[in-house]
């Protein structure tokens, strides 16, 4: 799926480039997944669970670029990778073809600058242009900044998944299931 590069101004006045992911990003993205998994308890995996090789990531990015159902975008600030956002079809069957799952992650040092709003806004615009009618995501219920961002962009809480995460220390986190109408 195609996407035109776009530069937006952040809250602090810095420009942020939003562009489609490319095969050349593979090594950087593997390191990014490991780093962000270690920065936040809000993500699906622990750093040691990021086992994808650079070649596997390159293959994933090649397939993503050819995909007609999904898109991955990157945000860069002053030439530095700040985060990613993506969407893809839910389920892959005719009855769920109108729904897409959305994901976004930023390095912690880029939180609160407006990158999430810009990046997720681009993803939602692209998902709508691709014909999706509904965007969905899951978020840790205590991640107030993310929940606020999603609500600001029109997502609504549809339900709670109790004890969706169990951390190494034995504690749990609930997920909020959120969706947004794209029509």
């Amino acid at each position: 799926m195609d996407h035109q590069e776009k530069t937006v101004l952040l809250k602090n006045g810095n420009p942020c480039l939003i562009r489609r992911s490319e095969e050349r990003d593979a090594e950087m993205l593997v390191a990014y997944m490991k780093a962000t998994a270690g920065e936040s308890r809000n993500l699906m995996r622990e750093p040691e669970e990021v086992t994808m090789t650079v070649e596997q990531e390159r293959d994933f990015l090649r397939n993503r670029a050819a995909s007609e159902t999904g898109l991955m975008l990157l945000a860069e600030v002053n030439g530095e990778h700040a985060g990613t956002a993506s969407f893809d079809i839910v389920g892959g069957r005719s009855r769920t073809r109108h729904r897409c799952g959305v994901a976004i992650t930023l390095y912690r040092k880029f939180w609160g600058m407006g990158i999430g709003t810009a990046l997720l806004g681009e993803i939602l615009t692209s998902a709508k242009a691709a014909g999706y009618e509904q965007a969905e995501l899951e978020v840790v219920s205590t991640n107030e900044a993310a929940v606020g961002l999603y609500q600001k962009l029109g997502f609504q809480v549809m339900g709670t998944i109790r004890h969706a995460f169990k951390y190494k220390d034995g504690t749990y986190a609930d997920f909020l299931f959120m969706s947004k109408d794209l029509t």
Side-chain angles (χ1 to χ4, degrees):
M1 186 166 293
D2 201 23
H3 181 272
Q4 291 297 116
E5 279 189 8
K6 182 176 186 178
T7 300
V8 297
L9 286 181
L10 301 176
K11 292 177 184 177
N12 62 9
N14 283 339
C16 175
L17 174 67
I18 298 176
R19 65 174 179 83
R20 195 178 76 182
S21 61
E22 299 175 0
E23 286 181 53
R24 66 182 168 95
D25 300 314
E27 185 173 351
M28 177 268 298
L29 286 170
V30 170
Y32 165 76
M33 287 186 281
K34 290 179 183 178
T36 55
E39 288 183 336
S40 173
R41 290 171 48 110
N42 298 323
L43 301 179
M44 192 65 80
R45 49 185 140 186
E46 297 288 341
E48 65 272 11
E49 293 176 310
V50 178
T51 58
M52 184 175 284
T53 66
V54 171
E55 191 53 44
Q56 288 170 326
E57 180 68 5
R58 198 172 285 119
D59 289 343
F60 170 81
L61 293 169
R62 187 177 309 114
N63 291 334
R64 176 57 61 145
S67 173
E68 304 221 356
T69 62
L71 176 68
M72 177 189 279
L73 297 178
L74 306 180
E76 296 177 353
V77 178
N78 298 322
E80 186 178 357
H81 179 228
T84 64
S86 63
F87 71 83
D88 210 340
I89 191 168
V90 171
R93 304 278 186 235
S94 62
R95 292 183 179 179
T96 60
R97 192 149 190 60
H98 65 291
R99 298 166 48 208
C100 68
V102 174
I104 183 169
T105 310
L106 301 176
Y107 279 113
R108 180 180 294 272
K109 76 181 202 174
F110 291 104
W111 291 2
M113 300 172 119
I115 297 168
T117 301
L119 194 52
L120 195 54
E122 285 295 308
I123 280 293
L124 294 171
T125 298
S126 294
K128 182 176 181 174
Y132 289 106
E133 299 171 22
Q134 182 171 303
E136 305 170 0
L137 56 83
E138 295 173 344
V139 59
V140 173
S141 62
T142 56
N143 187 349
E144 294 175 8
V147 172
L149 167 64
Y150 303 144
Q151 288 174 329
K152 177 173 76 171
L153 292 174
F155 282 85
Q156 296 179 328
V157 175
M158 306 307 288
T160 302
I161 302 170
R162 186 175 173 272
H163 290 179
F165 278 175
K166 183 175 182 179
Y167 299 110
K168 289 179 178 181
D169 65 6
T171 60
Y172 296 90
D174 297 343
F175 275 176
L176 299 178
F177 179 76
M178 301 181 79
S179 79
K180 173 186 173 59
D181 183 8
L182 297 176
T183 58

